[in-house]
Amino acid sequence: MTPRPLIPRTGIGIDVHAVDPDPDRELWLAGLHWPGERGLSGHSDGDAVAHAACDALFSAAGIGDLGTHFGTDRPEFAGASGASLLAEAARLVRAAGWEIGNVAVQFVGRRPKFGPRRTEADAVLSAAAGAPITVTATTSDGLGYEGAGEGITAYATALVYPASDNLER
């Protein structure tokens, strides 16, 4: 086995979900339920923020991607919450010998109005991952599918570093 370099690694993740055509689908985003907002399509709960965070962690650790671990071919993840997927992603990253430094996520969309719940979202996602996660939001000034209110894109970066038991390798 090739020795793992003892330096931090970064990863990126991007996730896109369309607004679901079903008006009764609930919105889950950044680990939070958004009553009165139209939900996003997806195999799980459609939480683009949590999914992008998972992908960034998998990328940084070099252990695949969201589809590898939670793909649509895995019926046990149908309807799963983004926070539970994030908790499992963090477990897999740690099992691969990495510790999580932090994850930063920014999503692009017209709705929901995120600012008033930012601290709550950070706390829920940080608790799920057992590491600091921060979320920010922006609009696209009316441009593209995000600006038309047809979907949300989330971009994430993650920093991981070798767990202390790897320092002896």
Side-chain angles (χ1 to χ4, degrees):
M1 181 169 128
T2 305
R4 176 175 292 137
L6 299 178
I7 59 173
R9 292 176 48 159
T10 60
I12 60 169
I14 299 171
D15 199 60
V16 177
H17 284 274
V19 171
D20 197 287
D22 178 357
D24 294 327
R25 178 145 174 143
E26 297 179 332
L27 178 63
W28 286 88
L29 191 68
L32 303 177
H33 179 240
W34 298 84
E37 295 285 347
R38 189 94 168 252
L40 300 172
S41 295
H43 177 62
S44 63
D45 65 359
D47 187 338
V49 168
H51 298 173
C54 291
D55 257 344
L57 287 169
F58 292 146
S59 172
I63 59 169
D65 56 30
L66 200 68
T68 302
H69 299 285
F70 311 127
T72 57
D73 61 333
R74 308 274 309 268
E76 67 269 29
F77 295 114
S81 76
S84 67
L85 295 180
L86 182 58
E88 177 62 6
R91 186 193 70 74
L92 292 167
V93 165
R94 289 184 177 102
W98 298 96
E99 189 48 64
I100 301 166
N102 75 302
V103 180
V105 185
Q106 183 168 60
F107 77 87
V108 183
R110 283 181 43 195
R111 302 194 66 80
K113 182 136 178 78
F114 186 69
R117 297 188 73 190
R118 177 186 330 276
T119 303
E120 183 184 1
D122 290 354
V124 166
L125 295 177
S126 295
I133 297 188
T134 54
V135 183
T136 59
T138 190
T139 67
S140 61
D141 289 332
L143 300 174
Y145 61 88
E146 299 107 337
E150 297 170 354
I152 288 177
T153 303
Y155 303 89
T157 59
L159 175 74
V160 300
Y161 56 90
S164 60
D165 62 336
N166 285 337
L167 297 178
E168 298 172 13
R169 290 186 184 181

